Amino acid sequence: IYCFLLPAYTVHSATLTQSRCCMFRLVDIKPEGLPMMVWTAYGVLWTLRCAEVASRTLPHQVNCLSRFILYFSNAQILDFGSKVTSNFMVSLLKECLFSASMISIFKNLLKNDAFTSSTPLINLLLHNLICAVLTQEVLTFMSCLWRLALSPFIATKPMMKKPMFLSQGIREFWGKRWNLLVHDSLKRSVHSPLKGVVGVA
């Protein structure tokens, strides 16, 4: 999981940096690298949505021009069938505060070089784990802010469901909790058209 997540979302510097424990770290997360990470992720998403339009596999709720514009201009999972309630807003605010606190904690762990094991492999795994959790919380925090901005107009669904904390296996991690926004779009833009062509269930 770590080897897949980090190149896709958290690699900022291609150079390897030697740490105090005489091992080489594979990533170097810096605050200025986060905008590049986010825009890359959103660029992939909008490419997939263009593929949805080309393959005519848009969600069935997107059945008019206004919904099409709303769907195509927002990098969130829109829920056209639900209404925004006060409980929904409170839940969003709690999630936003939780993600902000986790970002602060794990960013300080990276900054303070919190790796004390004498075994380089353990240090590397700890570093990668912190990077993966930080990536999860950054994406969750930005998604929460976007969802709060959309809440006066339409309900939304979470993009992340705490995959690093609650997943009980790799299948649940990738299929039900990690970046569901891209996961759903991949199913419509890639899997569904291929299924129709080659007949794969």
Side-chain angles (χ1 to χ4, degrees), residues 79-122:
D79 188 0
F80 294 102
S82 301
K83 294 183 179 180
V84 178
T85 63
S86 57
N87 290 336
F88 174 83
M89 296 292 293
V90 171
S91 176
L92 263 183
L93 288 172
K94 287 181 178 179
E95 189 174 0
C96 193
L97 291 174
F98 176 80
S99 293
S101 63
M102 294 298 288
I103 289 170
S104 177
I105 293 171
F106 282 92
K107 184 179 176 183
N108 286 332
L109 287 176
L110 282 179
K111 183 178 179 181
N112 297 329
D113 203 1
F115 314 102
T116 58
S117 174
S118 59
T119 306
L121 178 60
I122 293 178

Side-chain angles (χ1 to χ4, degrees), residues 20-62:
R20 293 181 301 183
C21 60
C22 299
M23 71 168 195
F24 288 93
R25 289 192 182 155
L26 298 181
V27 295
D28 179 20
I29 294 182
K30 297 179 181 179
E32 58 268 25
L34 293 179
M36 180 187 302
M37 174 189 74
V38 172
W39 283 113
T40 299
Y42 287 146
V44 170
L45 171 68
W46 279 309
T47 300
L48 292 175
R49 290 198 166 169
C50 288
E52 289 180 49
V53 174
S55 60
R56 299 181 180 180
T57 54
L58 288 168
H60 66 274
Q61 298 96 333
V62 183

Side-chain angles (χ1 to χ4, degrees), residues 51-52 54-57 185-199:
E52 289 180 49
S55 60
R56 299 181 180 180
T57 54
S185 191
L186 271 173
K187 286 178 65 177
R188 288 190 297 269
S189 61
V190 178
H191 182 263
S192 293
L194 286 178
K195 182 174 65 174
V197 172
V198 301

